[in-house]
Amino acid sequence: MRLVALDGLAEKSGFQLGQGVAEARAMCPEVDVLPADRAADRALLEGLADWCSRYTPLVALDGESGLYLDITGCAHLLGGEKSLLDDLLARLFHLGIEARAAISSSAGLSWAVARFGTQGVIAAEEAAGVLAPLPMAALRLPAETIETLGRVGLKQVGDIIEAPRAPLARRFGSMLLLRLDQAMGLEDEPLSPRLPVASLSAERRLSEPVQGEDDILVLTQELAARLKPELEKRGQGGRLFELLLFRVDGRVFRIAAGTSSPLIEPGRIAGLFRERLQAVHDDLDAGFGFEILRLSVPRSEKYEVMQEDFSGTPDRERPLAAFADRVMARLGAESLFVPVLSESHMPERAAVFQPLADVEMLKTLGEAVCAVPAALLATSARPQRLFQSPEPVEAVAEVPEGPPRSFRWRRSLHRIARAEGPERIAAEWWVDGETAAERDYFRVEDERGRRFWLFREGHYGGPTQPRWFMHGVFA
Amino acid sequence: MADNAVQRETVLSLRETIARIENRRLAGVVKTVKAADPAGFRLRQEGTPASGRKVLPLGIPDLDDLLEGGLPLEGMTEIRNAQTRDAGAAAGFATALGALCQRARQQKGDDGAPVLWISQSLASTEAGLPYGLGLSAYGLDIRSLILSLPRTVKDALWIAETALSVSAFCAVILEIRGNPASLALSESRRLHVRARAGRIPLLLLRQSGHEEASSAFFRLHIEPAPARERPLPDGSMLCGSIGHPVFHVIAEKSRSPAPVGLFLEWNPHDRRFYPVEPLPAAAAADPEPAHSVARLSASSGRPGGAEPLGHLLAFPRAS
């Protein structure tokens, strides 16, 4: 067991990273050792990244203990870079998090200064001067490169800034110069943001935090109303909306709501979130309230603007979409289904239900149904209800191929008055394998007039004993 | 003279009260009442529906009388069956009504208003999922069918309410198993009011439930009945074949009770019901197998009934 992280007091007491726990205890018996939990560290860092999206949507994770914030074009919203940095550090301090930060024109320089220098805002022209006195580790180099550099006396970044580049590259690899150029801002360094940036978002900062669900919904509707002109201008409607709720203690909740057709009406967007809030009710702990609300549109699609008529009767597609959205926002995407027919002999595969993802699906499905042979659609030999998995029954039947005379299903005996069949359906060898037994289906009616769909799997004299199953119920 | 006026006023107010209890549209009734003969009740004129409700005539005089003109197009109708194994018949009857609603909409030129079938997952697991090919052959246009399989009764009721508040559907079928406590009188009243306000027919399909007071206009008990044989082109019947489905419809809640019930055959090609005579054999058939299990309806909010006496067997002595 080794030490992987130290707090400020431990650093002062002379502990070192990588030291064995036994050795540390020998140095100081009352040392408090906590087991490392990398998943929890990661969760904290991601939580902080969410929290940092109050400053900019472009937040990238840096290893296990850092965050990059791309504040290009955001700083003026908080009164300049200096006040942004002060605000960030003050807020993190109040959250009980020790943080160091720096703002500069390149990610490498900010990284170096935040970890090894004096934090603050660094202008682009100061880069070389600030970087020179920092140790080599500030260049984000692998440990062995730093060690090799140290052995030849190159301990500070200043030692290599002015040095000839070709011998350095030959001896220490191209990584060294790449990192140096990145820190100096000569080489571009792309940051990959943690989450995709929404094309549109609207935000509301509150001086008084809100807790109630109704307040959140009213604010959501207001935000949606602010998004509407921009969406209209682009001719787009949102297919996915995301509401970010920043709680005063730093926790951020993301609530996403999908729609089944492009949507711009603020009332319906707020309605979606009403259902979503109902669904996530227990997970959404308002605590002392939310201080920032942001509504963003991560996914949008072309929106057909329709003229409202004077008749007062709403058109058909939109109420259906409204209904589907409300149900799916509350009960999940897999709560509405539409029948889909496919070309298969096996009854359970010939007609299945697919989740309704899009109201447009109804139209395309209609065309698909038209393509199915009419004889198959009109046959009376298919039951109105089908069991997902056929239920075994004990049947008495004529040997070898006759219809059943009586059968016992769910512990009750049915005497069969009439039977139609058999209809032989062979197994699909390309799905079920070549050894699957064929089925002989019988449509039977018992003495009380109940109509069932039974089948015999296999046949007498075959490799396995035939078995009888109940597969469906007729009207 | 004054006496007469007071009496008339009393009668009028009583009739209004009755009308309100009976859920009729008040304005029309008040008009009728005002026009009524003060000396007594007036016979209803032939051919006029009893109430101002919108109805869908089913084309069978007996059934239409039972339903006071036809299937109510605004409000709730309950369809129930007693046992799970009869669920096919009740579902078939409800599907037939759904297909009729669909056709009525199509005839009005309103093409494509879907039927919503909400089946609580317990019900669809016990009695089978609706099957697209079978329903299509049965006369339902599955191009406009949406199925929902909510997990709990509460979710099912919520979906039904949501569906009734948008004018997107031509019929809503709500399938519930048994008599759950979460669908009691007040909930059914709520659904009924929603269905009336939304002008959508709601068919409450109660699978293997017992009779329970509800706010539905009508409650129909559906039992399966033996089908006729398939007709041959020369007019004779194909011996031993199973033709179109036949239902035994018993009105349990209706203002014109018919305890014997009606036998109806559904013709999927014509998409309409035809009255049929019951087969004598069906009535005489032994309804009970020799060693059947007790017929119990599905669980409900009430405790079970008392155990019948005399079923206890003598236990062998332990020592």
Side-chain angles (χ1 to χ4, degrees):
Chain A
M1 295 228 292
R2 302 204 162 262
L3 301 182
V4 290
L6 302 170
D7 66 357
L9 189 62
E11 270 175 7
K12 275 186 218 148
S13 315
F15 294 107
Q16 283 180 353
L17 291 181
Q19 216 171 15
V21 172
E23 193 187 338
R25 284 206 196 283
M27 284 166 67
C28 177
E30 60 269 22
V31 68
D32 194 7
V33 181
L34 296 176
D37 185 350
R38 296 204 180 256
D41 291 348
R42 182 87 185 165
L44 176 71
L45 193 66
E46 288 192 343
L48 278 180
D50 270 341
W51 180 84
C52 284
S53 62
R54 61 195 290 140
Y55 297 109
T56 164
L58 293 163
V59 182
L61 297 180
D62 168 39
E64 289 178 351
S65 57
L67 291 175
Y68 288 119
L69 270 65
D70 186 348
I71 55 163
T72 314
C74 304
H76 70 277
L77 298 173
L78 287 122
E81 292 169 348
K82 180 83 180 85
S83 63
L84 189 153
L85 193 68
D86 292 345
D87 182 66
L88 175 77
L89 289 172
R91 281 180 190 273
L92 283 175
F93 176 77
H94 287 300
L95 291 178
I97 288 164
E98 189 194 334
R100 289 176 219 157
I103 294 180
S104 75
S105 53
S106 75
L109 184 59
S110 296
W111 193 93
V113 175
R115 277 156 212 263
F116 297 95
T118 47
Q119 48 190 352
V121 182
I122 295 140
E125 59 271 18
E126 295 171 7
V130 171
L131 209 52
L134 298 183
M136 227 25 120
L139 286 183
R140 298 179 287 168
L141 292 168
E144 56 263 32
T145 316
I146 295 171
E147 205 183 318
T148 329
L149 284 164
R151 246 185 261 141
V152 297
L154 299 172
K155 305 235 171 185
Q156 289 187 338
V157 180
D159 299 339
I160 58 166
I161 287 183
E162 298 300 329
R165 294 171 67 89
L168 278 178
R170 202 164 53 236
R171 181 151 180 193
F172 302 105
S174 58
M175 186 68 159
L176 175 66
L177 289 176
L178 176 70
R179 288 298 191 203
L180 182 66
D181 286 349
Q182 281 178 347
M184 298 283 288
L186 302 173
E187 189 82 30
D188 198 23
E189 181 179 3
L191 295 176
S192 51
R194 203 172 128 255
L195 299 169
V197 180
S199 58
L200 266 181
S201 64
E203 187 178 285
R204 177 78 193 262
R205 286 172 194 250
L206 308 166
S207 49
E208 183 72 18
V210 294
Q211 285 169 312
E213 206 176 294
D214 292 337
D215 301 334
I216 296 173
L217 289 172
V218 168
L219 288 167
T220 308
Q221 184 156 358
E222 197 182 288
L223 290 174
R226 270 164 57 189
L227 286 178
K228 189 181 175 190
E230 188 58 30
L231 281 170
E232 274 178 342
K233 209 196 289 172
R234 298 181 185 194
Q236 300 259 305
R239 284 298 304 271
L240 182 69
F241 291 90
E242 194 175 48
L243 182 66
L244 264 78
L245 300 167
F246 292 75
R247 208 164 70 178
V248 282
D249 62 353
R251 194 144 172 225
V252 180
F253 293 91
R254 285 175 187 276
I255 301 169
T259 68
S260 57
S261 65
L263 182 62
I264 59 170
E265 287 96 32
R268 274 186 55 195
I269 297 171
L272 280 185
F273 281 101
R274 175 171 296 117
E275 306 304 340
R276 285 298 297 151
L277 289 179
Q278 285 288 324
V280 300
H281 191 262
D282 291 336
D283 298 327
L284 187 74
D285 179 9
F288 290 106
F290 301 104
E291 53 180 349
I292 303 179
L293 282 90
R294 183 187 297 160
L295 182 68
S296 49
V297 190
R299 202 168 77 236
S300 57
E301 264 177 24
K302 191 171 181 311
Y303 181 77
E304 303 275 342
V305 181
M306 275 191 238
Q307 172 108 30
E308 298 283 328
D309 57 4
F310 290 115
S311 68
T313 51
D315 50 331
R316 201 179 313 113
E317 292 306 321
R318 301 256 168 105
L320 186 59
F323 165 75
D325 291 347
R326 284 188 68 190
V327 171
M328 287 193 277
R330 181 147 167 160
L331 300 173
E334 302 224 335
S335 49
L336 293 178
F337 300 89
V338 283
V340 178
L341 304 183
S342 57
E343 287 184 8
S344 174
H345 301 296
M346 298 307 274
E348 59 264 42
R349 284 183 216 130
V352 291
F353 283 98
Q354 264 185 12
L356 176 79
D358 197 327
V359 262
E360 295 297 312
M361 252 174 101
L362 278 178
K363 279 184 202 155
T364 51
L365 282 176
E367 288 158 16
V369 170
C370 292
V372 170
L376 190 60
L377 284 179
T379 176
S380 62
R382 290 289 176 271
Q384 278 71 52
R385 314 198 69 144
L386 195 78
F387 292 105
Q388 290 251 281
S389 48
E391 300 187 359
V393 295
E394 296 166 26
V396 177
E398 288 169 29
V399 176
E401 303 255 279
R405 293 284 175 170
S406 69
F407 66 96
R408 189 174 282 281
W409 175 52
R410 292 184 181 173
R411 297 197 292 164
S412 49
L413 185 74
H414 297 262
R415 287 205 187 85
I416 291 171
R418 282 181 286 176
E420 283 185 344
E423 178 190 356
R424 175 160 294 185
I425 298 180
E428 294 174 334
W429 54 262
W430 56 96
V431 181
D432 304 313
E434 287 186 32
T435 53
E438 70 269 16
R439 300 170 174 180
D440 280 351
Y441 278 92
F442 291 90
R443 188 176 176 224
V444 302
E445 185 181 271
D446 77 356
E447 285 173 341
R448 299 282 291 163
R450 302 180 189 102
R451 288 165 283 275
F452 300 108
W453 209 33
L454 294 173
F455 71 86
R456 189 190 64 231
E457 193 181 71
H459 47 84
Y460 292 93
T464 51
Q465 199 63 19
R467 291 189 300 163
W468 285 90
F469 292 92
M470 162 75 65
H471 203 181
V473 186
F474 288 93
Chain B
M1 194 65 198
D3 232 22
N4 210 351
V6 169
Q7 271 174 9
R8 190 177 167 184
E9 197 56 44
T10 317
V11 167
L12 221 158
S13 71
L14 282 174
R15 280 183 185 161
E16 268 183 45
T17 315
I18 292 171
R20 210 175 292 125
I21 292 169
E22 290 191 338
N23 235 340
R24 295 177 187 215
R25 191 169 289 174
L26 204 59
V29 173
V30 170
K31 211 189 294 163
T32 331
V33 167
K34 291 223 171 105
D37 183 8
F41 292 99
R42 195 181 54 145
L43 275 177
R44 199 208 312 169
Q45 285 162 2
E46 284 301 313
T48 54
S51 58
R53 281 203 307 264
K54 272 173 74 182
V55 293
L56 175 68
L58 299 175
I60 297 167
D62 286 349
L63 187 61
D64 284 345
D65 279 354
L66 212 65
L67 299 178
E68 295 176 23
L71 177 73
L73 284 179
E74 301 165 355
M76 185 161 85
T77 310
E78 186 174 331
I79 295 163
R80 96 177 170 95
N81 61 315
Q83 299 164 44
T84 312
R85 49 187 175 173
D86 299 339
F93 190 73
T95 313
L97 295 181
L100 286 174
C101 291
Q102 229 175 20
R103 193 181 61 168
R105 275 287 184 104
Q106 277 167 3
Q107 280 172 350
K108 270 198 256 166
D110 184 9
D111 211 12
V115 172
L116 177 69
W117 189 319
I118 307 163
S119 179
Q120 195 227 336
S121 52
L122 182 63
S124 55
T125 326
E126 279 290 315
L129 272 179
Y131 183 54
L133 276 178
L135 291 178
S136 169
Y138 196 70
L140 191 73
D141 187 0
I142 60 165
R143 282 174 293 179
S144 53
L145 169 70
I146 298 181
L147 177 77
S148 179
L149 301 170
R151 198 172 53 83
T152 61
V153 177
K154 222 174 127 191
D155 287 348
L157 296 180
W158 181 83
I159 295 178
E161 257 188 42
T162 312
L164 294 173
S165 63
V166 297
S167 57
F169 296 102
C170 70
V172 177
I173 301 175
L174 173 63
E175 188 177 12
I176 298 285
R177 183 173 167 78
N179 301 63
S182 45
L183 177 54
L185 188 60
S186 54
E187 284 85 0
S188 79
R189 170 97 194 128
R190 195 180 154 109
L191 280 179
H192 179 60
V193 169
R194 284 264 179 176
R196 290 188 62 164
R199 296 167 180 273
I200 296 173
L202 171 67
L203 303 170
L204 174 65
L205 181 55
R206 198 188 283 281
Q207 195 189 94
S208 57
H210 55 72
E211 288 178 61
E212 187 184 338
S214 76
S215 298
F217 281 127
F218 307 104
R219 183 173 58 242
L220 304 173
H221 180 189
I222 308 295
E223 282 193 349
R228 299 300 98 96
E229 290 166 336
R230 285 178 202 271
L232 289 173
D234 63 353
S236 63
M237 294 300 204
L238 178 62
C239 187
S241 62
I242 306 170
H244 297 309
V246 175
F247 308 103
H248 185 194
V249 182
I250 305 160
E252 284 181 339
K253 179 181 176 185
S254 166
R255 286 197 198 92
S256 34
V260 184
L262 301 164
F263 285 83
L264 300 176
E265 185 185 71
W266 170 251
N267 188 322
H269 303 298
D270 305 350
R271 288 216 252 170
R272 60 161 295 178
F273 287 109
Y274 290 98
V276 288
E277 287 300 311
L279 291 179
D286 176 20
E288 269 304 291
H291 301 287
S292 71
V293 292
R295 278 184 183 177
L296 293 175
S297 54
S299 65
S300 66
R302 310 173 187 179
E307 285 290 316
L309 293 176
H311 276 235
L312 186 69
L313 299 176
F315 293 115
R317 288 180 70 94
S319 56

